[in-house]
Amino acid sequence: MSRFLNREYKELIPYTPGEQPKVKGRLVKLNTNENPYPPAPGVSSVINEKQLQDLKLYSDPEASILTEAIAENFGLEKSQVITANGSDEILAFIFMAFRGETNKIYYPEISYSFYPVYCDVFGAQGVKIPLREDFSVSPEDYYDADGTIVITNPNAPTGMALEINQIEDILSHNRENLVVIDEAYVDFGAQSAVKLIDKYDNLLVVQTFSKSRSLAGARIGYALGNKELITDLNTIKFSFNPYNLDRLAILAGTEAMKDKEYFDTTRNKIIKTREDFVKSLENMGFSVLPSNANFVFAESREISGEEYFTKLRERNIIVRYFNKDKISNFVRITIGTPEEMDMLLEATKEIMGK
């Protein structure tokens, strides 16, 4: 740490990204919830020599063609959409812009671990709300909050989701508070809150191209809400990083959003693989939380989460382990291809002696 770092950041504990291992030989990487299938076919066709030559020019700061494609997909106006460099940047804008008079941001105690980091970075007071004993989110715990509410749905790392009526319950009990629904994993079985945008002016929905649209490396996120909220976010964006999406990402995202058939095909493959994998894992004695995401959260009474994670890693199979209270016996397993999940299951049988 240098002597020049501002005092308020000296105790900052940064977000820890999922490991991107550099392993020789075969690797089964199931730790960062990436899509196992390639992007939509149209993505590669639009990135041609001319587009590569055009990289000498700045990108469109409004990402117009991408914004229009997103708006059309959801039946919204272009003024109700903002794009950014991954949903993490969208969330950063939200934590900057919408802390309210109390400077409080409410979020589940067990959830996306970037939320407490953003609270520290932007000087907000994070209020962690415990989950129920079964790891579900209780809407009643968020009634009449005195600050902004941020909920990942489906939640991470549990994979459990609120029903749309439960989200509306939270919105209706917080008319004076902004409610942010972070839907990074919504396309794998949960109900989106987008349909509530025109009914509730206190709702922002955040989504990403990283999961269901196979573009984690392109870094594309977006938010949907009423035009006043989007205007506020654009004020932050244009005061921070106007050219936040590069030219190739804009093209790739547009094609990925337009190809609805490929989107449905790949996400349905992942859902089917998830359901088959869960049955197999449960047959080995594991307990698996009900998941509406492209990952599962599992534990066993026969082996600790840390040991299971370690023994899988020794076999070049990488899952995610969180050494935290209440979830230290769990591992989070991304759903890969059927072949990758079979490899994990075979390794698990060996580890468990079955």
Side-chain angles (χ1 to χ4, degrees), residues 42-319:
V43 171
S44 60
S45 66
V46 297
I47 300 177
N48 52 40
E49 184 62 30
K50 180 184 183 305
Q51 299 299 339
L52 293 175
Q53 291 296 322
D54 283 348
L55 287 177
K56 65 181 180 288
L57 305 172
Y58 282 113
S59 58
D60 173 10
E62 296 182 353
S64 297
I65 61 172
L66 175 58
T67 303
E68 289 168 3
I70 294 170
E72 181 178 348
N73 182 74
F74 290 102
L76 300 172
E77 300 296 325
K78 185 179 175 183
S79 60
Q80 294 177 287
V81 180
I82 180 175
T83 58
N85 189 240
S87 59
D88 288 336
E89 187 176 56
I90 288 284
L91 290 166
F93 293 161
I94 290 169
F95 276 66
M96 277 191 262
F98 299 122
R99 297 195 302 274
E101 293 183 2
T102 65
N103 203 39
K104 291 181 181 178
I105 296 183
Y106 290 76
Y107 53 87
E109 178 185 22
I110 298 171
S111 191
Y112 187 28
S113 53
F114 230 137
Y115 298 157
V117 176
Y118 279 153
C119 283
D120 290 342
V121 169
F122 299 117
Q125 180 183 343
V127 182
K128 299 179 183 180
I129 305 299
L131 298 178
R132 290 170 173 159
E133 190 173 340
D134 66 354
F135 292 101
S136 64
V137 171
S138 171
E140 294 83 2
D141 291 341
Y142 295 87
Y143 284 0
D144 303 315
D146 59 344
T148 296
I149 296 168
V150 182
I151 295 175
T152 304
N153 194 57
N155 196 14
T158 67
M160 299 176 71
L162 290 167
E163 301 289 337
I164 193 67
N165 64 299
Q166 294 178 299
I167 295 172
E168 187 163 13
D169 194 24
I170 294 171
L171 286 162
S172 64
H173 283 86
N174 285 281
R175 288 289 191 170
E176 301 306 313
N177 300 313
L178 180 67
V179 178
V180 179
I181 305 298
D182 183 353
E183 294 187 343
Y185 306 101
V186 74
D187 296 320
F188 300 103
Q191 297 173 293
S192 175
V194 171
K195 65 182 71 174
L196 301 176
I197 284 173
D198 289 333
K199 186 175 180 180
Y200 293 92
D201 68 351
N202 60 327
L203 170 64
L204 262 177
V205 176
V206 179
Q207 292 196 10
T208 179
F209 281 72
S210 295
K211 314 301 179 184
S212 56
R213 289 187 168 83
S214 305
L215 286 172
R219 310 307 304 129
I220 308 169
Y222 56 97
L224 311 168
N226 67 63
K227 64 180 181 180
E228 288 80 11
L229 287 172
I230 299 303
T231 297
D232 292 341
L233 289 176
N234 271 312
T235 297
I236 299 296
K237 168 186 167 178
F238 281 89
S239 302
F240 179 73
N241 186 15
Y243 304 104
N244 61 346
L245 280 179
D246 67 66
R247 299 178 71 91
L248 301 185
I250 292 171
L251 290 169
T254 301
E255 291 303 312
M257 183 58 71
K258 287 180 178 179
D259 197 336
K260 296 180 182 179
E261 182 179 354
Y262 185 80
F263 164 74
D264 283 331
T265 297
T266 52
R267 74 188 181 108
N268 286 331
K269 283 183 181 179
I270 291 168
I271 292 170
K272 173 66 165 56
T273 304
R274 181 189 69 206
E275 299 310 310
D276 292 343
F277 174 69
V278 167
K279 290 178 184 177
S280 297
L281 205 58
E282 288 177 337
N283 287 339
M284 294 186 197
F286 281 76
S287 297
V288 185
L289 297 185
S291 174
N292 285 285
N294 67 333
F295 58 84
V296 297
F297 208 44
E299 70 169 343
S300 171
R301 293 182 178 179
E302 299 178 35
I303 188 171
S304 71
E306 184 175 15
E307 184 181 359
Y308 182 48
F309 161 80
T310 301
K311 289 185 177 298
L312 285 174
R313 201 183 193 295
E314 290 170 355
R315 293 161 171 80
N316 279 3
I317 300 173
I318 314 297
V319 298

